[in-house]
Amino acid sequence: MTKAARKLRNYMKRRAKEMGLEDVRINGAGCLGRCSEGPTLLFYPEGIWYSPKNEADCDEILAKHLQAVNRFTSRI
């Protein structure tokens, strides 16, 4: 895991907790076969992929995918 990916992972973990998202597990992983895309998120069980580039992207993913359960495609 790159330094940038680790930073975004830690940010998402902190923000998920602040947002009260209790049934969420945010883990680091090795390459998921999309390393060239930079930090990558894979949501289970849906199999939805996101590639956040910054903290604002992470906030949007947490709010729209997890908090509001409203899937969106601008970061897929």
Side-chain angles (χ1 to χ4, degrees):
M1 180 183 296
T2 67
K3 185 176 179 179
R6 189 173 297 110
K7 179 181 175 185
L8 290 178
R9 185 220 34 215
N10 292 342
Y11 177 79
M12 285 193 77
K13 287 177 100 164
R14 185 173 61 253
R15 287 292 295 140
K17 188 179 235 181
E18 290 170 359
M19 295 169 76
L21 298 171
E22 297 177 4
D23 294 331
V24 173
R25 185 172 181 165
I26 299 170
N27 292 328
C31 182
L32 297 172
R34 295 188 179 192
C35 293
S36 64
E37 296 176 27
T40 304
L41 305 173
L42 174 58
F43 283 84
Y44 287 109
E46 303 97 327
I48 296 175
W49 295 79
Y50 294 107
S51 184
K53 305 301 182 208
N54 52 48
E55 291 178 354
D57 290 349
C58 292
D59 287 337
E60 184 178 18
I61 292 165
L62 288 170
K64 291 185 177 179
H65 185 100
L66 296 174
Q67 194 171 45
V69 191
N70 178 21
R71 308 304 185 248
F72 66 106
T73 59
S74 64
R75 299 284 179 247
I76 295 178

Coordinates of all heavy atoms in Angstrom, one line a residue:
M1 N 0.9 -1.2 0.0 CA 0.0 0.0 0.0 C 0.9 1.2 0.0 O 1.8 1.3 0.8 CB -0.9 0.0 1.2 CG -1.8 1.2 1.3 SD -2.8 1.3 2.8 CE -3.8 -0.2 2.6
T2 N 0.6 2.2 -0.9 CA 1.4 3.4 -1.0 C 1.1 4.3 0.2 O 0.1 4.2 0.9 CB 1.1 4.1 -2.3 OG1 -0.2 4.6 -2.2 CG2 1.3 3.2 -3.5
K3 N 2.0 5.3 0.4 CA 1.8 6.3 1.4 C 0.5 7.1 1.2 O -0.3 7.3 2.1 CB 3.0 7.2 1.5 CG 2.9 8.2 2.6 CD 4.2 9.1 2.6 CE 4.2 10.1 3.7 NZ 5.4 10.9 3.7
A4 N 0.2 7.4 -0.1 CA -1.0 8.2 -0.4 C -2.3 7.3 -0.1 O -3.3 7.8 0.5 CB -1.0 8.6 -1.9
A5 N -2.2 6.0 -0.4 CA -3.4 5.2 -0.2 C -3.6 5.0 1.3 O -4.7 5.0 1.8 CB -3.2 3.8 -0.8
R6 N -2.5 4.9 2.1 CA -2.6 4.7 3.5 C -3.2 6.0 4.1 O -4.1 5.9 5.0 CB -1.2 4.4 4.1 CG -1.2 4.1 5.6 CD 0.2 3.6 6.0 NE 0.6 2.4 5.4 CZ 1.6 2.4 4.4 NH1 2.3 3.4 4.1 NH2 1.9 1.2 3.9
K7 N -2.8 7.1 3.6 CA -3.3 8.4 4.2 C -4.9 8.5 3.9 O -5.6 8.8 4.8 CB -2.6 9.6 3.5 CG -3.1 10.9 3.9 CD -2.4 12.0 3.2 CE -3.0 13.4 3.6 NZ -2.4 14.5 2.9
L8 N -5.3 8.1 2.7 CA -6.7 8.1 2.4 C -7.5 7.1 3.2 O -8.6 7.3 3.7 CB -7.0 8.0 0.9 CG -6.6 9.2 0.1 CD1 -6.8 8.8 -1.4 CD2 -7.3 10.4 0.5
R9 N -6.9 5.9 3.4 CA -7.5 4.9 4.2 C -7.7 5.3 5.6 O -8.8 5.2 6.2 CB -6.7 3.6 4.2 CG -7.4 2.5 4.9 CD -6.6 1.6 5.8 NE -5.5 2.2 6.5 CZ -4.3 1.6 6.7 NH1 -4.1 0.4 6.2 NH2 -3.4 2.2 7.4
N10 N -6.7 5.9 6.2 CA -6.8 6.4 7.6 C -7.8 7.5 7.7 O -8.6 7.6 8.7 CB -5.5 6.9 8.1 CG -4.5 5.7 8.3 OD1 -4.9 4.6 8.4 ND2 -3.2 6.0 8.3
Y11 N -7.9 8.4 6.7 CA -8.9 9.5 6.7 C -10.3 8.9 6.6 O -11.2 9.3 7.4 CB -8.7 10.4 5.5 CG -9.7 11.5 5.4 CD1 -9.7 12.6 6.2 CD2 -10.8 11.3 4.5 CE1 -10.6 13.6 6.1 CE2 -11.7 12.3 4.4 CZ -11.7 13.4 5.2 OH -12.7 14.4 5.2
M12 N -10.5 7.9 5.8 CA -11.8 7.3 5.6 C -12.3 6.6 6.9 O -13.4 6.6 7.3 CB -11.9 6.3 4.5 CG -12.0 7.0 3.1 SD -12.4 6.0 1.8 CE -14.1 5.8 2.0
K13 N -11.3 5.9 7.6 CA -11.6 5.3 8.8 C -12.1 6.3 9.9 O -13.1 6.1 10.6 CB -10.4 4.5 9.4 CG -10.1 3.2 8.6 CD -8.9 2.6 9.1 CE -9.3 1.4 10.0 NZ -8.2 0.5 10.3
R14 N -11.4 7.4 10.0 CA -11.7 8.4 10.9 C -13.1 9.0 10.6 O -13.9 9.2 11.5 CB -10.6 9.5 11.0 CG -10.8 10.5 12.0 CD -9.6 11.5 12.1 NE -9.3 12.2 10.8 CZ -8.3 12.0 10.0 NH1 -7.4 11.0 10.3 NH2 -8.1 12.7 8.9
R15 N -13.3 9.4 9.3 CA -14.5 10.0 8.9 C -15.7 9.1 9.1 O -16.8 9.5 9.5 CB -14.5 10.5 7.5 CG -13.6 11.7 7.3 CD -14.2 12.9 7.9 NE -15.4 13.3 7.2 CZ -16.5 13.7 7.8 NH1 -16.5 13.9 9.1 NH2 -17.6 14.0 7.1
A16 N -15.6 7.8 8.8 CA -16.7 6.8 8.9 C -17.1 6.8 10.4 O -18.3 6.8 10.7 CB -16.2 5.5 8.4
K17 N -16.1 6.8 11.3 CA -16.4 6.8 12.7 C -17.1 8.1 13.1 O -18.1 8.0 13.9 CB -15.1 6.6 13.5 CG -15.3 6.4 15.0 CD -14.0 6.2 15.7 CE -14.0 4.9 16.4 NZ -12.8 4.7 17.2
E18 N -16.7 9.2 12.6 CA -17.3 10.5 12.9 C -18.7 10.6 12.4 O -19.6 11.2 13.0 CB -16.5 11.7 12.3 CG -15.1 11.9 13.0 CD -14.3 12.9 12.2 OE1 -14.7 13.4 11.1 OE2 -13.2 13.2 12.7
M19 N -19.0 9.9 11.3 CA -20.3 9.9 10.7 C -21.2 8.9 11.3 O -22.4 8.8 11.0 CB -20.2 9.6 9.2 CG -19.5 10.7 8.5 SD -19.1 10.3 6.7 CE -20.7 10.4 6.0
G20 N -20.7 8.1 12.3 CA -21.5 7.1 12.9 C -21.8 5.8 12.1 O -22.8 5.1 12.3
L21 N -21.0 5.6 11.1 CA -21.2 4.4 10.3 C -20.6 3.2 11.0 O -19.4 2.9 10.9 CB -20.5 4.6 8.9 CG -21.0 5.8 8.1 CD1 -20.2 6.1 6.9 CD2 -22.5 5.5 7.6
E22 N -21.4 2.5 11.7 CA -21.0 1.4 12.5 C -20.7 0.1 11.8 O -19.9 -0.7 12.2 CB -21.9 1.2 13.7 CG -22.0 2.4 14.6 CD -23.0 2.3 15.7 OE1 -23.6 1.2 15.8 OE2 -23.3 3.2 16.4
D23 N -21.5 -0.2 10.8 CA -21.4 -1.5 10.1 C -20.4 -1.4 8.9 O -20.7 -2.0 7.9 CB -22.8 -2.0 9.6 CG -23.7 -2.3 10.8 OD1 -23.1 -2.7 11.9 OD2 -24.9 -2.2 10.7
V24 N -19.4 -0.7 9.1 CA -18.4 -0.4 8.0 C -17.0 -0.9 8.4 O -16.6 -0.6 9.6 CB -18.4 1.1 7.6 CG1 -17.3 1.3 6.6 CG2 -19.7 1.5 7.1
R25 N -16.4 -1.6 7.6 CA -15.0 -2.0 7.9 C -14.1 -1.5 6.7 O -14.3 -1.8 5.6 CB -14.9 -3.5 7.9 CG -13.6 -4.0 8.4 CD -13.6 -5.5 8.6 NE -12.3 -5.9 9.0 CZ -12.0 -7.0 9.6 NH1 -13.0 -7.9 9.8 NH2 -10.8 -7.3 9.9
I26 N -13.1 -0.7 7.1 CA -12.2 -0.1 6.1 C -10.8 -0.7 6.4 O -10.2 -0.5 7.4 CB -12.2 1.4 6.2 CG1 -13.6 1.9 5.9 CG2 -11.2 2.0 5.2 CD1 -13.8 3.4 6.2
N27 N -10.3 -1.5 5.4 CA -9.1 -2.2 5.6 C -8.1 -1.8 4.4 O -8.5 -1.5 3.4 CB -9.3 -3.7 5.5 CG -10.0 -4.2 6.7 OD1 -9.9 -3.7 7.8 ND2 -10.8 -5.3 6.4
G28 N -6.8 -2.0 4.7 CA -5.8 -1.9 3.7 C -5.6 -3.2 3.0 O -5.9 -4.3 3.6
A29 N -5.2 -3.2 1.8 CA -4.9 -4.4 1.0 C -3.7 -4.2 0.1 O -3.4 -3.1 -0.2 CB -6.1 -4.8 0.2
G30 N -3.2 -5.3 -0.4 CA -2.2 -5.2 -1.4 C -2.9 -4.8 -2.7 O -4.0 -4.4 -2.8
C31 N -2.2 -5.0 -3.8 CA -2.8 -4.7 -5.1 C -4.0 -5.5 -5.4 O -4.0 -6.8 -5.2 CB -1.8 -4.9 -6.2 SG -2.4 -4.5 -7.9
L32 N -5.1 -4.9 -5.8 CA -6.3 -5.6 -6.2 C -6.5 -5.7 -7.7 O -7.5 -6.0 -8.2 CB -7.6 -4.8 -5.6 CG -7.6 -4.7 -4.1 CD1 -8.7 -3.8 -3.7 CD2 -7.8 -6.1 -3.5
G33 N -5.3 -5.5 -8.4 CA -5.3 -5.7 -9.8 C -5.6 -4.3 -10.5 O -5.8 -4.3 -11.8
R34 N -5.7 -3.3 -9.8 CA -6.0 -2.0 -10.4 C -5.0 -0.9 -9.8 O -5.3 0.2 -9.6 CB -7.4 -1.5 -10.1 CG -8.4 -2.4 -10.7 CD -9.8 -1.8 -10.6 NE -10.8 -2.7 -11.2 CZ -12.0 -2.3 -11.5 NH1 -12.4 -1.1 -11.1 NH2 -12.8 -3.1 -12.1
C35 N -3.8 -1.4 -9.5 CA -2.8 -0.5 -8.9 C -2.5 0.8 -9.7 O -2.2 1.8 -9.2 CB -1.5 -1.2 -8.6 SG -1.7 -2.5 -7.3
S36 N -2.6 0.6 -11.1 CA -2.3 1.7 -11.9 C -3.3 2.9 -11.8 O -3.0 4.0 -12.2 CB -2.3 1.3 -13.4 OG -3.6 0.8 -13.8
E37 N -4.5 2.6 -11.2 CA -5.5 3.6 -11.0 C -5.3 4.4 -9.7 O -6.0 5.3 -9.3 CB -6.9 3.0 -11.0 CG -7.2 2.4 -12.3 CD -8.5 1.7 -12.3 OE1 -9.4 2.0 -11.5 OE2 -8.7 0.7 -13.1
G38 N -4.3 4.0 -8.9 CA -4.0 4.7 -7.6 C -4.9 4.1 -6.5 O -5.3 2.9 -6.7
P39 N -5.1 4.8 -5.4 CA -5.9 4.2 -4.3 C -7.3 3.7 -4.9 O -7.9 4.4 -5.6 CB -6.1 5.3 -3.3 CG -4.9 6.2 -3.6 CD -4.6 6.1 -5.1
T40 N -7.6 2.5 -4.5 CA -8.9 1.9 -5.0 C -9.7 1.4 -3.8 O -9.1 0.8 -2.9 CB -8.5 0.8 -6.0 OG1 -7.7 1.3 -7.0 CG2 -9.8 0.2 -6.6
L41 N -11.0 1.5 -3.9 CA -11.9 1.0 -2.9 C -12.8 -0.1 -3.6 O -13.2 0.1 -4.7 CB -12.8 2.1 -2.4 CG -12.2 3.3 -1.8 CD1 -13.3 4.3 -1.5 CD2 -11.4 3.0 -0.6
L42 N -13.0 -1.1 -2.9 CA -13.9 -2.2 -3.4 C -14.9 -2.4 -2.3 O -14.6 -2.8 -1.2 CB -13.1 -3.5 -3.7 CG -14.0 -4.7 -4.1 CD1 -14.8 -4.4 -5.3 CD2 -13.1 -5.9 -4.3
F43 N -16.2 -2.2 -2.6 CA -17.3 -2.4 -1.7 C -17.9 -3.8 -1.8 O -18.3 -4.2 -2.9 CB -18.4 -1.4 -1.8 CG -18.0 0.0 -1.3 CD1 -17.3 0.9 -2.0 CD2 -18.4 0.4 0.0 CE1 -16.9 2.1 -1.5 CE2 -18.1 1.6 0.5 CZ -17.3 2.5 -0.3
Y44 N -17.9 -4.5 -0.7 CA -18.6 -5.8 -0.7 C -19.9 -5.7 0.0 O -20.0 -4.9 0.9 CB -17.7 -6.8 0.1 CG -16.5 -7.3 -0.7 CD1 -15.2 -6.9 -0.3 CD2 -16.6 -8.1 -1.8 CE1 -14.1 -7.3 -0.9 CE2 -15.5 -8.5 -2.4 CZ -14.2 -8.1 -2.0 OH -13.1 -8.5 -2.7
P45 N -20.9 -6.4 -0.3 CA -20.9 -7.5 -1.3 C -21.3 -7.0 -2.7 O -21.3 -7.8 -3.6 CB -22.0 -8.5 -0.8 CG -23.0 -7.5 -0.2 CD -22.2 -6.4 0.4
E46 N -21.5 -5.7 -2.9 CA -21.9 -5.2 -4.2 C -20.9 -5.4 -5.3 O -21.2 -5.4 -6.5 CB -22.3 -3.7 -4.1 CG -23.4 -3.4 -3.1 CD -22.8 -3.0 -1.8 OE1 -21.7 -3.4 -1.4 OE2 -23.4 -2.1 -1.1
G47 N -19.6 -5.4 -5.0 CA -18.6 -5.4 -6.0 C -18.4 -4.1 -6.7 O -18.0 -4.1 -7.9
I48 N -18.6 -3.0 -6.0 CA -18.5 -1.7 -6.6 C -17.2 -1.1 -6.3 O -16.7 -1.1 -5.2 CB -19.6 -0.7 -6.1 CG1 -21.0 -1.3 -6.6 CG2 -19.4 0.7 -6.6 CD1 -22.2 -0.5 -6.0
W49 N -16.5 -0.6 -7.4 CA -15.1 0.0 -7.3 C -15.2 1.5 -7.3 O -15.9 2.1 -8.1 CB -14.3 -0.5 -8.4 CG -14.0 -2.0 -8.4 CD1 -14.9 -2.9 -8.9 CD2 -12.8 -2.7 -8.0 NE1 -14.3 -4.2 -8.8 CE2 -13.0 -4.0 -8.3 CE3 -11.6 -2.2 -7.5 CZ2 -12.1 -5.0 -8.0 CZ3 -10.7 -3.2 -7.3 CH2 -10.9 -4.5 -7.5
Y50 N -14.3 2.1 -6.5 CA -14.2 3.6 -6.6 C -12.7 3.9 -6.5 O -11.9 3.1 -6.0 CB -14.8 4.3 -5.4 CG -16.3 4.2 -5.3 CD1 -16.9 3.4 -4.4 CD2 -17.1 4.9 -6.2 CE1 -18.3 3.4 -4.3 CE2 -18.5 4.9 -6.1 CZ -19.1 4.1 -5.2 OH -20.4 4.0 -5.1
S51 N -12.3 5.0 -7.1 CA -10.9 5.4 -7.1 C -10.8 6.9 -6.6 O -10.7 7.8 -7.4 CB -10.3 5.3 -8.5 OG -8.9 5.6 -8.4
P52 N -10.8 7.1 -5.3 CA -10.8 8.4 -4.7 C -9.4 9.0 -4.9 O -8.4 8.3 -4.8 CB -11.1 8.2 -3.2 CG -10.6 6.9 -2.9 CD -10.8 6.1 -4.2
K53 N -9.3 10.3 -5.2 CA -8.1 11.0 -5.4 C -7.7 11.9 -4.3 O -6.5 12.3 -4.2 CB -8.1 11.8 -6.7 CG -8.5 11.0 -8.0 CD -7.6 9.9 -8.2 CE -7.9 9.2 -9.5 NZ -7.6 7.8 -9.5
N54 N -8.7 12.2 -3.4 CA -8.4 13.1 -2.3 C -9.4 12.9 -1.2 O -10.4 12.1 -1.4 CB -8.4 14.6 -2.8 CG -9.6 14.9 -3.6 OD1 -10.8 14.6 -3.1 ND2 -9.5 15.5 -4.7
E55 N -9.3 13.7 -0.1 CA -10.2 13.6 1.0 C -11.7 14.0 0.6 O -12.6 13.3 1.1 CB -9.7 14.4 2.2 CG -8.5 13.8 2.8 CD -7.9 14.7 3.9 OE1 -8.4 15.8 4.2 OE2 -6.9 14.2 4.5
A56 N -11.8 14.9 -0.3 CA -13.2 15.3 -0.7 C -13.9 14.1 -1.4 O -15.1 13.9 -1.2 CB -13.1 16.5 -1.6
D57 N -13.1 13.4 -2.2 CA -13.7 12.2 -2.9 C -14.1 11.2 -1.8 O -15.2 10.6 -2.0 CB -12.6 11.6 -3.8 CG -12.3 12.4 -5.1 OD1 -13.1 13.4 -5.3 OD2 -11.4 12.0 -5.7
C58 N -13.3 11.0 -0.8 CA -13.6 10.1 0.3 C -14.9 10.5 1.0 O -15.8 9.6 1.2 CB -12.5 10.0 1.3 SG -11.0 9.2 0.6
D59 N -15.0 11.8 1.3 CA -16.2 12.3 1.9 C -17.5 12.0 1.0 O -18.5 11.6 1.5 CB -16.1 13.8 2.2 CG -15.2 14.1 3.3 OD1 -15.0 13.2 4.2 OD2 -14.7 15.2 3.4
E60 N -17.3 12.2 -0.3 CA -18.5 12.0 -1.2 C -18.8 10.5 -1.2 O -20.0 10.2 -1.2 CB -18.1 12.5 -2.6 CG -19.2 12.4 -3.6 CD -18.9 12.9 -4.9 OE1 -17.7 13.1 -5.2 OE2 -19.8 13.2 -5.7
I61 N -17.9 9.7 -1.3 CA -18.1 8.2 -1.3 C -18.8 7.8 0.0 O -19.8 7.0 0.0 CB -16.8 7.4 -1.5 CG1 -16.3 7.7 -3.0 CG2 -17.0 5.9 -1.3 CD1 -14.9 7.3 -3.2
L62 N -18.3 8.2 1.1 CA -18.9 7.8 2.4 C -20.3 8.3 2.5 O -21.2 7.6 2.9 CB -18.1 8.4 3.6 CG -16.7 7.7 3.8 CD1 -15.9 8.5 4.8 CD2 -16.9 6.3 4.3
A63 N -20.6 9.6 2.1 CA -21.9 10.2 2.2 C -22.9 9.5 1.2 O -24.0 9.2 1.6 CB -21.8 11.7 2.0
K64 N -22.5 9.3 0.0 CA -23.4 8.9 -1.0 C -23.5 7.4 -1.1 O -24.6 6.8 -1.3 CB -23.0 9.4 -2.4 CG -23.3 10.9 -2.5 CD -23.0 11.4 -3.9 CE -23.3 12.9 -4.0 NZ -23.0 13.4 -5.4
H65 N -22.5 6.7 -0.9 CA -22.5 5.2 -1.0 C -23.0 4.6 0.3 O -23.8 3.7 0.3 CB -21.2 4.6 -1.4 CG -21.2 3.1 -1.7 ND1 -21.3 2.6 -2.9 CD2 -21.2 2.1 -0.8 CE1 -21.4 1.3 -2.8 NE2 -21.3 1.0 -1.6
L66 N -22.4 5.0 1.4 CA -22.6 4.3 2.7 C -23.7 5.0 3.5 O -24.6 4.3 4.0 CB -21.3 4.2 3.5 CG -20.3 3.4 2.9 CD1 -19.0 3.5 3.7 CD2 -20.7 1.9 2.8
Q67 N -23.6 6.3 3.6 CA -24.6 7.0 4.5 C -26.0 7.1 3.9 O -27.0 6.8 4.5 CB -24.1 8.4 4.9 CG -24.8 9.0 6.0 CD -24.1 10.3 6.5 OE1 -23.7 11.1 5.7 NE2 -24.0 10.4 7.8
A68 N -26.0 7.5 2.6 CA -27.3 7.6 2.0 C -27.7 6.4 1.1 O -28.8 6.4 0.6 CB -27.3 8.9 1.1
V69 N -26.8 5.4 1.0 CA -27.1 4.2 0.2 C -27.5 4.7 -1.2 O -28.5 4.2 -1.7 CB -28.1 3.3 0.9 CG1 -28.1 1.9 0.1 CG2 -27.7 3.1 2.3
N70 N -26.8 5.6 -1.8 CA -27.2 6.1 -3.1 C -25.9 6.0 -4.0 O -25.0 6.7 -3.9 CB -27.6 7.6 -3.0 CG -27.9 8.2 -4.3 OD1 -28.2 7.5 -5.2 ND2 -27.8 9.5 -4.3
R71 N -26.0 5.0 -4.8 CA -24.8 4.7 -5.7 C -24.6 5.8 -6.7 O -25.6 6.3 -7.2 CB -25.0 3.3 -6.4 CG -25.3 2.2 -5.5 CD -24.3 2.0 -4.4 NE -24.5 0.8 -3.6 CZ -24.9 0.8 -2.3 NH1 -25.1 2.0 -1.7 NH2 -25.1 -0.3 -1.7
F72 N -23.4 6.1 -7.0 CA -23.1 7.1 -8.0 C -21.9 6.6 -8.8 O -21.1 5.8 -8.4 CB -22.8 8.5 -7.4 CG -21.6 8.5 -6.5 CD1 -20.5 9.2 -7.0 CD2 -21.6 8.0 -5.3 CE1 -19.4 9.3 -6.2 CE2 -20.5 8.1 -4.5 CZ -19.3 8.7 -4.9
T73 N -21.7 7.2 -10.0 CA -20.7 6.6 -10.9 C -19.5 7.6 -11.2 O -18.6 7.2 -11.9 CB -21.3 6.2 -12.2 OG1 -21.9 7.4 -12.8 CG2 -22.3 5.1 -12.0
S74 N -19.5 8.8 -10.6 CA -18.4 9.7 -11.0 C -17.0 9.3 -10.5 O -16.0 9.8 -11.0 CB -18.8 11.1 -10.5 OG -18.8 11.1 -9.1
R75 N -16.9 8.4 -9.6 CA -15.6 8.0 -9.1 C -15.4 6.5 -9.3 O -14.5 5.9 -8.8 CB -15.5 8.2 -7.5 CG -15.7 9.6 -7.2 CD -14.4 10.4 -7.5 NE -14.6 11.8 -7.1 CZ -14.6 12.8 -8.0 NH1 -14.5 12.6 -9.2 NH2 -14.8 14.0 -7.6
I76 N -16.2 5.9 -10.2 CA -16.0 4.4 -10.5 C -15.0 4.3 -11.6 O -15.0 5.0 -12.5 CB -17.3 3.8 -10.8 CG1 -18.3 3.8 -9.6 CG2 -17.1 2.3 -11.3 CD1 -19.6 3.2 -9.8

